[in-house]
Amino acid sequence: MDRLFRALDAAPPPRRGGPGPYAAYGVALACIAATFGVRLALDPWLGNGVIFLSFVPTLLVTALVGGATPTFVATFAALIAGEALLPHPVDAVPNSVDAALFAGLGVAIGLGGGRLRRVQAGSEAMSRRVFERQAHLQSILDTVPDAMIVIDTEGIIQSFSPAAEQLFGWTRDEVLGRNVNLLMPAEHAEAHDSYIQRYLRTGEARIIGCPRAVEARAKTGAGVPVQLYVGETDTAGAHFFTGFLQDLTERQASQRRLQAMQAELLHTSRLSALGEMAAALAHELNQPLSAISNYLTGGRRLLQDENPESRALTALDKAAGQSLRAGEIIRRLRTFIATGENEAACESLKALIEEAATLGLVGVRDAGITVVTRWDSEADLVWVDRIQIQQVVVNLLRNAVEAMETSPMRVLTVSTAAGGTSTERGGEDMVEVQVADTGPGIAPEVADRLFQPFTTTKPRRGMGVGLSICRTIIEGHGGRIWVEPNSPCGAVFRFTVPRCAPGLEAPAPAETSGVGP
Ligand code: ADP
């Protein structure tokens, strides 16, 4: 693998086609001329010997440089040059035999050279193809978003991808050749080498092939949560382990955000439920308290007529005072709930609903529900308390999902649209949100008191306060909430909230009738 990666880093094999065919002819002629000159100079000593033989190196060079055809041409040219070197009287027969042998040798060298060049060209093309494939593979690995680290059986890092550099803050050059345990927290770093050795000895895999979430250590020493996948390979007789690491930081952060949001919504919803209950109790207790007060006043009058000095009069006075006090507490409680201030701000309705939908629509895919959204980008910014409106949306979504539990057709449509003008709020522009389902529609027995507390058709799991909380929140924002039949079946819940446009003031606290009945 080391070799492989070194090869990948190396420059591509040069294209060695050698000099072209014409260059080979030039080389051949130059060699023949040079040989001719040298042989001529040595003529006094060599006489008629070693004439054709002296041209053999020329043929070899030409065959190497140009292959078969230039070698045949060079053989022919060498024969002419050889004949020219024979001024001495010679025996024609041996000379012809020498020439014929030389010509045969020339053909053999030419054929051999041609074959050699073909093999050489083939092997160069193959190494180029191998290199290109390796470079392609490397470029893919370099762009894989997961960090990739290759180690050998000693735990020594052999390869470190650009994504790994980004994840750990180390550069490739800094970590290559070092033990991979420098990327682990201390408790694993020490034992890591023994994990590898145990695996090699026993073949018992603990992490290979089983992705798991672990903590890695960045160059800064900070812990990095990652999902680790480990695979193994055998390359060139050596064993390597490849780790792919996915950064979980963002995923964990969004999980934490989601949990915090869930907790916040749950908290608000409990508070609202309490408020609803308190308001309902206040309403119910108001009448008996007034009656108690009236009876006490009447009783006191009767007693005073018969026995003006009775100590019971004082007790009756105190009891009447306490019942008035209880009434005042209840009145204050109702006022507090009715005018409870919200933390309104300019919010994107689409973002707000999408965030709420991550909670409200948990598991809807499994329930076979198709969710359709239609956003009116012209009516997106609204002046609302984000958490409260999200609570309304979650409640409407959950009701819609529950209503479609047994429906053959399951389509949930959430849409926004410019929603007219609120006359109650001084002509302020409103935005309308619609949550439509294809369930059975509103049951007739609850239709006329749907938004009152404790109205429910879900005997076991319903508290019947969800819609009344929605109404309180929406009216607190100066909007309106109502329901209509959907077509062809189901219900459409609609509510309005004030649009947030440049120049619009924050809505004043609503002058509503308060919570509950
Ligand atoms: P809960 O869900 O606890 O019953 P809600 O106030 O949210 O309390 O709802 C009151 C009732 O309104 C429900 O019990 C149900 O009968 C009816 N309801 C609400 N939403 C829908 C809907 N989308 N389709 C049909 N009925 C609905």
Side-chain angles (χ1 to χ4, degrees):
M1 183 73 72
D2 199 18
R3 283 196 296 280
L4 167 72
F5 284 97
R6 273 209 295 272
L8 288 176
D9 289 339
R15 281 179 178 271
R16 293 225 330 260
Y22 300 116
Y25 293 116
V27 168
L29 289 179
C31 287
I32 288 168
T35 310
F36 186 84
V38 173
R39 179 63 186 72
L40 203 59
L42 296 176
D43 200 51
W45 292 279
L46 296 177
N48 284 342
V50 199
I51 289 188
F52 292 112
L53 209 57
S54 60
F55 289 98
V56 170
T58 296
L59 299 187
L60 289 172
V61 171
T62 311
L64 281 177
V65 174
T69 316
T71 311
F72 300 152
V73 173
T75 308
F76 185 67
L79 279 170
I80 295 170
E83 289 298 331
L85 281 170
L86 288 168
H88 316 282
V90 289
D91 186 347
V93 174
N95 180 43
S96 302
V97 171
D98 276 2
L101 282 175
F102 179 75
L105 189 64
V107 170
I109 291 176
L111 291 175
R115 190 174 161 70
L116 191 71
R117 279 184 56 78
R118 276 197 301 283
V119 170
Q120 188 186 14
S123 90
E124 276 174 10
M126 178 165 304
S127 3
R128 239 188 344 270
R129 271 203 304 280
V130 168
F131 177 85
E132 279 162 10
R133 266 193 214 163
Q134 285 173 343
H136 181 62
L137 174 70
Q138 186 64 30
S139 71
I140 291 172
L141 290 176
D142 282 352
T143 50
V144 168
D146 293 352
M148 188 194 78
I149 301 168
V150 180
I151 60 168
D152 64 13
T153 49
E154 304 298 317
I156 303 300
I157 299 176
Q158 304 292 321
S159 169
F160 201 69
S161 75
E165 289 183 327
Q166 221 169 21
L167 180 65
F168 289 99
W170 292 99
T171 67
R172 183 170 177 268
D173 293 340
E174 283 173 320
V175 295
L176 282 192
R178 294 179 69 180
N179 195 303
V180 72
N181 60 18
L182 104 148
L183 307 174
M184 300 171 189
E187 63 269 26
H188 291 299
E190 279 170 23
H192 187 254
D193 285 349
S194 65
Y195 296 159
I196 301 180
Q197 296 316 320
R198 189 196 51 220
Y199 170 68
L200 293 173
R201 227 181 22 256
T202 63
E204 183 196 332
R206 301 245 168 116
I207 193 160
I208 293 171
C210 325
R212 76 162 67 154
V214 296
E215 183 159 280
R217 194 179 54 162
K219 187 179 183 182
T220 55
V224 187
V226 291
Q227 180 84 5
L228 173 65
Y229 304 79
V230 179
E232 55 184 330
T233 49
D234 276 311
T235 308
H239 206 77
F240 295 94
F241 299 98
T242 307
F244 289 92
L245 300 98
Q246 229 172 47
D247 189 354
L248 296 180
T249 314
E250 190 46 42
R251 202 189 297 175
Q252 288 189 352
S254 62
Q255 250 166 13
R256 274 197 300 275
R257 274 201 301 275
L258 198 64
Q259 275 164 0
M261 214 172 85
Q262 231 162 352
E264 207 177 345
L265 274 178
L266 203 67
H267 181 69
T268 317
S269 126
R270 280 210 203 101
L271 275 184
S272 301
L274 270 181
E276 285 296 309
M277 218 119 65
L281 282 177
H283 179 80
E284 297 303 319
L285 289 179
N286 228 4
Q287 281 175 0
L289 277 174
S290 302
I292 292 171
S293 177
N294 288 342
Y295 283 129
L296 286 172
T297 314
R300 186 184 190 287
R301 217 174 277 135
L302 292 174
L303 196 61
Q304 194 174 21
D305 290 347
E306 285 166 22
N307 185 3
E309 299 305 317
S310 168
R311 284 169 57 205
L313 279 177
T314 323
L316 283 177
D317 277 345
K318 284 187 177 164
Q322 289 304 316
S323 78
L324 285 178
R325 188 161 164 252
E328 178 60 16
I329 290 172
I330 284 169
R331 195 187 61 74
R332 266 199 255 150
L333 179 67
R334 294 191 70 188
T335 314
F336 171 73
I337 294 165
T339 60
E341 286 180 16
N342 60 36
E343 290 177 19
C346 203
E347 303 277 357
S348 156
L349 202 48
K350 176 171 180 276
L352 176 155
I353 294 176
E354 279 178 344
E355 207 174 49
T358 52
L359 287 181
L361 297 180
V362 172
V364 295
R365 288 239 169 80
D366 302 337
I369 294 176
T370 308
V371 181
V372 180
T373 49
R374 280 189 217 111
W375 310 114
D376 181 348
S377 55
E378 298 293 308
D380 187 50
L381 291 181
V382 287
W383 188 264
V384 294
D385 181 317
R386 183 174 60 88
I387 294 291
Q388 288 190 358
I389 298 300
Q390 284 184 328
Q391 198 192 334
V392 172
V393 174
V394 170
N395 200 51
L396 296 183
L397 292 176
R398 291 312 308 172
N399 275 348
V401 169
E402 283 171 15
M404 289 189 288
E405 253 168 20
T406 53
S407 302
M409 182 176 156
R410 296 176 194 184
V411 183
L412 174 58
T413 311
V414 182
S415 46
T416 60
T421 304
S422 157
T423 43
E424 287 162 35
R425 302 189 64 85
E428 210 167 56
D429 275 352
M430 305 300 275
V431 174
E432 187 180 305
V433 179
Q434 302 166 7
V435 178
D437 64 65
T438 53
I442 304 298
E445 68 269 22
V446 290
D448 54 347
R449 49 193 173 89
L450 205 58
F451 295 95
Q452 292 181 9
F454 314 118
T455 300
T456 182
T457 51
K458 305 167 190 167
R460 264 176 295 144
R461 55 181 181 184
M463 264 181 67
V465 291
L467 286 178
S468 81
I469 293 171
C470 292
R471 193 190 71 168
T472 308
I473 292 174
I474 295 302
E475 289 182 351
H477 281 76
R480 199 161 78 80
I481 182 166
W482 70 103
V483 65
E484 290 170 3
N486 193 14
S487 168
C489 58
V492 189
F493 278 84
R494 299 171 188 267
F495 68 84
T496 56
V497 279
R499 187 199 281 265
C500 165
L504 273 186
E505 294 295 316
E511 291 282 326
T512 62
S513 53
V515 179

